[in-house]
Amino acid sequence: MFCKSVIEAIDPPKRSITWKAIEGHLLELYNSFTIITSCEHWITITLVYEKKTEDTPEPLAFLDYFIGLTKDVEGHLLKK
């Protein structure tokens, strides 16, 4: 899948970054797609999207990607 995004907002006090999809395969399925990451005490990843139709599937592939990414980062940080 291809997705071109832009950083829509950065909130340093909340350690938050918001990305918005502007091109790509995601916008064929969804009217809008935004990813918000924040890191206060732990990392929170929020997917905000609007389906084009009721039959459009949930973005489970993205959730799987972020789970794998989190495990990779955790493994790297826990290496001694």
Side-chain angles (χ1 to χ4, degrees):
M1 255 192 184
F2 163 77
C3 176
K4 187 174 186 180
S5 62
V6 294
I7 294 176
E8 189 172 56
I10 298 175
D11 187 350
K14 291 185 178 180
R15 297 180 183 172
S16 173
I17 302 175
T18 302
W19 288 273
K20 181 177 182 178
I22 58 170
E23 277 183 36
H25 296 108
L26 279 177
L27 295 181
E28 292 173 8
L29 297 171
Y30 305 98
N31 289 327
S32 63
F33 202 96
T34 303
I35 301 169
I36 304 166
T37 59
S38 63
C39 178
E40 289 188 66
H41 298 290
W42 53 80
I43 295 175
T44 302
I45 300 170
T46 306
L47 305 179
V48 180
Y49 56 92
E50 179 186 348
K51 295 179 180 183
K52 286 198 177 201
T53 67
E54 193 64 34
D55 297 332
T56 301
E58 304 298 330
L60 298 179
F62 257 96
L63 292 176
D64 188 44
Y65 169 77
F66 284 116
I67 289 169
L69 178 67
T70 302
K71 287 180 180 180
D72 288 347
V73 170
E74 179 183 52
H76 176 74
L77 293 175
L78 294 177
K79 263 187 193 176
K80 291 187 177 189

